[in-house]
Amino acid sequence: MKQWVEQFNGRMDAWGRKLHEKEIRIPIDLVTGLAFALFALAILLVMPDQVAVSEKDVVNGRAFPTLLMTVMLLCCAMLIGKELYKLATKQPLNWKVINIQVEAKALVILGILLGTYFLSKWTGLFVVGAVFCCLGFLLYFRCRKKSYYVITLVIAVAIWAAFRFALGVDF
């Protein structure tokens, strides 16, 4: 087990060295305008399948979301238009520098959280997800003390057992 942890840490260090200097520069206003315009369009496209409408209602369940997404599309169009005007007139754009290493770390954390959710959902047992989450974060943050693993796992199982058997909560 110790050899596996050392290999894992070695791979993490190698990836960290490779990604440390890599950065992406994006025109933030243009990209966010496009991203949120696509999001608003997607919401407007799926809304008829998701929200039922009754003919007798004056204001139905689609009214407010449709209005909100329309306003959002208008704001995005203005933002995109402003940025395209800046491009055409060769004015400086607002740029954002994204460090790949920082974003990769965030994706690993998100992956651990999603793995926790899917394990809990797939097995139907919260405790399985909690154990995976505990072990995942302790390994990712390179905790070397075995007592931390034991304490965290015991507490996760104890909390699950207290809720499940003492309080009768089935999750």
Side-chain angles (χ1 to χ4, degrees):
M1 182 68 167
K2 188 174 183 175
Q3 182 182 8
W4 181 84
V5 171
E6 293 302 323
Q7 287 176 345
F8 176 76
N9 287 340
R11 274 189 244 128
M12 295 286 289
D13 289 338
W15 288 346
R17 282 189 295 277
K18 287 179 186 176
L19 296 176
H20 182 68
E21 298 299 321
K22 297 195 187 253
E23 295 179 339
I24 297 175
R25 289 187 53 205
I26 60 170
I28 194 69
D29 292 337
L30 185 60
V31 170
T32 54
L34 290 170
F36 279 95
L38 291 174
F39 175 75
L41 285 173
I43 295 294
L44 287 173
L45 289 174
V46 300
M47 196 178 325
D49 295 334
Q50 302 296 318
V51 180
V53 174
S54 173
E55 294 297 325
K56 59 185 172 186
D57 293 334
V58 177
V59 177
N60 57 41
R62 290 187 201 164
F64 181 71
T66 302
L67 178 64
L68 186 64
M69 292 302 115
T70 304
V71 169
M72 191 162 132
L73 276 173
L74 288 173
C75 292
C76 289
M78 289 189 320
L79 183 61
I80 292 168
K82 181 184 85 167
E83 293 301 305
L84 291 176
Y85 175 76
K86 282 183 176 180
L87 275 174
T89 59
K90 298 186 180 180
Q91 294 178 12
L93 297 177
N94 192 12
W95 291 86
K96 173 76 174 168
V97 178
I98 298 172
N99 186 303
I100 301 297
Q101 182 185 27
V102 172
E103 301 307 321
K105 288 178 180 179
L107 284 175
V108 170
I109 291 171
L110 179 65
I112 292 170
L113 293 173
L114 286 174
T116 299
Y117 170 76
F118 287 120
L119 276 173
S120 296
K121 188 84 168 158
W122 180 58
T123 61
L125 294 171
F126 168 79
V127 71
V128 174
V131 166
F132 174 79
C133 189
C134 293
L135 292 176
F137 279 120
L138 288 171
L139 284 172
Y140 179 69
F141 290 113
R142 300 179 184 195
C143 180
R144 301 216 185 264
K145 292 190 175 188
K146 292 178 184 176
S147 62
Y148 285 10
Y149 288 87
V150 173
I151 291 168
T152 307
L153 292 175
V154 167
I155 289 174
V157 172
I159 290 171
W160 170 76
F163 274 90
R164 177 71 180 101
F165 300 113
L167 299 174
V169 178
D170 188 19
F171 62 98

